[in-house]
Amino acid sequence: MAIILMLFFLLGIAFHQRITFFSFDYILVIIALASSYVAATTINDIVDIKIDKINHPNNKGRPLVTGEATEKDMYFLHFFAVSIVLIIALFLGINFLKIFILSLVINYIYSLPPFKLSYRAHFAPIILSFAYVFIPYWLGVTISHSLIILERQELFFISGLLFLFFGRIILKDFRDRNGDAAYGKQTLLLKYGKKTTCWLSFVSVIAGNICLFLGLPIKNLIILFILELYFGAILFMIYRLSRADEYEDEQVAIGIGAKIGNG
């Protein structure tokens, strides 16, 4: 997911025609984004340790669960990552500081009480889409010395990215539903069921397709055809997911669809 943050940041630069100009500030923002991701995941791992023990009992990406790290270690890593974010943001300027502080605040209200948005079916995927798509894209626009949403074409473009990510992130709940159900974590999947979740993802991808079609400054019909092949493959994987009965089949469909979406 840290790479996804970097990609949306670079898309913000690219849309404003600055991707061919190298700046060391680009590297600094990427480091800060990666550190922000570490800050978010460490605090979330601490809060959701009981759920993760059910969902990811042997996952090396959950060091608290496997015993490779203590809660004290995770807090140290969290505040170290936050320090990196703030130091880089201060170096880059006030506009970057505001954006990164907003990003950190989102991390806390997503995982920590009293808000704990990760436990709210409707808010969780929306806030994640904003955090993973809009904020890094906004940083890309800011570092390009441009204004956010200059014209209708860019509004369609960023909306397309948001719809696509939303359609993907709600499928993450398939992997975690056992632990989520055990500890009362309300997700769209648990609240409305598999059929509704798949349909919502399907519609979101179609909306993302339409918005990107309107937002991308592409006239080459061959490129547009290739793009539509990607979307067709993603939609087919969502259909496969809706028809799958076994956990392994669900994860294969989600994994392939997500990789195609990255492409």
Side-chain angles (χ1 to χ4, degrees):
M1 294 300 281
I3 294 176
I4 296 296
L5 290 170
M6 179 185 72
L7 290 175
F8 286 125
F9 166 65
L10 294 176
L11 282 172
I13 298 173
F15 197 92
H16 290 268
Q17 307 300 313
R18 297 291 300 178
I19 199 67
T20 56
F21 298 90
F22 176 76
S23 170
F24 186 69
D25 288 349
Y26 295 177
I27 306 300
L28 290 178
V29 172
I30 289 172
I31 293 172
L33 278 171
S35 299
S36 177
Y37 176 73
V38 171
T41 53
T42 48
I43 203 68
N44 190 255
D45 285 357
I46 293 170
V47 172
D48 284 349
I49 177 65
K50 293 180 179 179
I51 295 177
D52 288 341
K53 284 181 178 180
I54 298 175
N55 293 332
H56 312 284
N58 301 307
N59 190 334
K60 292 184 178 181
R62 298 293 195 280
L64 270 181
V65 174
T66 61
E68 297 179 59
T70 65
E71 188 172 301
K72 183 179 179 181
D73 294 331
M74 298 298 278
Y75 273 119
F76 174 82
L77 182 58
H78 171 78
F79 288 113
F80 181 72
V82 169
S83 299
I84 292 175
V85 172
L86 294 177
I87 290 170
I88 291 177
L90 281 169
F91 177 82
L92 291 172
I94 187 64
N95 290 332
F96 292 94
L97 181 62
K98 291 176 182 178
I99 298 171
F100 275 114
I101 287 176
L102 175 61
S103 176
L104 292 172
V105 169
I106 289 173
N107 293 342
Y108 293 129
I109 65 174
Y110 179 78
S111 297
L112 298 176
F115 299 102
K116 217 168 188 180
L117 296 183
S118 62
Y119 278 68
R120 302 174 187 270
H122 304 96
F123 286 105
I126 294 174
I127 199 73
L128 284 176
S129 299
F130 183 85
Y132 278 93
V133 179
F134 189 81
I135 283 184
Y137 184 91
W138 186 6
L139 286 166
V141 173
T142 302
I143 210 165
S144 301
H145 306 292
S146 303
L147 297 174
I148 192 70
I149 311 302
L150 290 177
E151 54 188 24
R152 187 177 63 174
Q153 187 179 45
E154 186 170 15
L155 180 59
F156 279 121
F157 182 65
I158 187 63
S159 296
L161 298 178
L162 286 165
F163 275 122
L164 284 175
F165 187 87
F166 179 88
R168 171 186 175 172
I169 203 64
I170 60 175
L171 301 183
K172 177 183 72 69
D173 299 331
F174 280 85
R175 180 193 61 187
D176 298 335
R177 59 187 159 196
N178 291 334
D180 293 344
Y183 285 94
K185 188 174 184 179
Q186 283 291 300
T187 62
L188 286 172
L189 177 62
L190 292 176
K191 191 175 181 66
Y192 297 107
K194 179 176 179 176
K195 183 177 180 180
T196 300
T197 303
C198 287
W199 268 111
L200 183 58
S201 178
F202 196 90
V203 171
S204 295
V205 171
I206 291 175
N209 186 359
I210 294 171
C211 287
L212 280 187
F213 186 86
L214 295 172
L216 284 171
I218 296 176
K219 305 301 182 184
N220 190 311
L221 293 180
I222 295 177
I223 295 176
L224 289 174
F225 175 73
I226 294 173
L227 183 63
E228 291 310 305
L229 288 179
Y230 271 91
F231 281 112
I234 295 169
L235 293 172
F236 178 70
M237 285 298 113
I238 297 173
Y239 169 76
R240 285 279 304 272
L241 171 64
S242 69
R243 305 287 293 179
D245 295 322
E246 301 295 330
Y247 174 83
E248 290 78 10
D249 294 335
E250 290 179 344
Q251 293 309 303
V252 168
I254 293 169
I256 293 174
K259 294 302 181 183
I260 296 170
N262 290 350

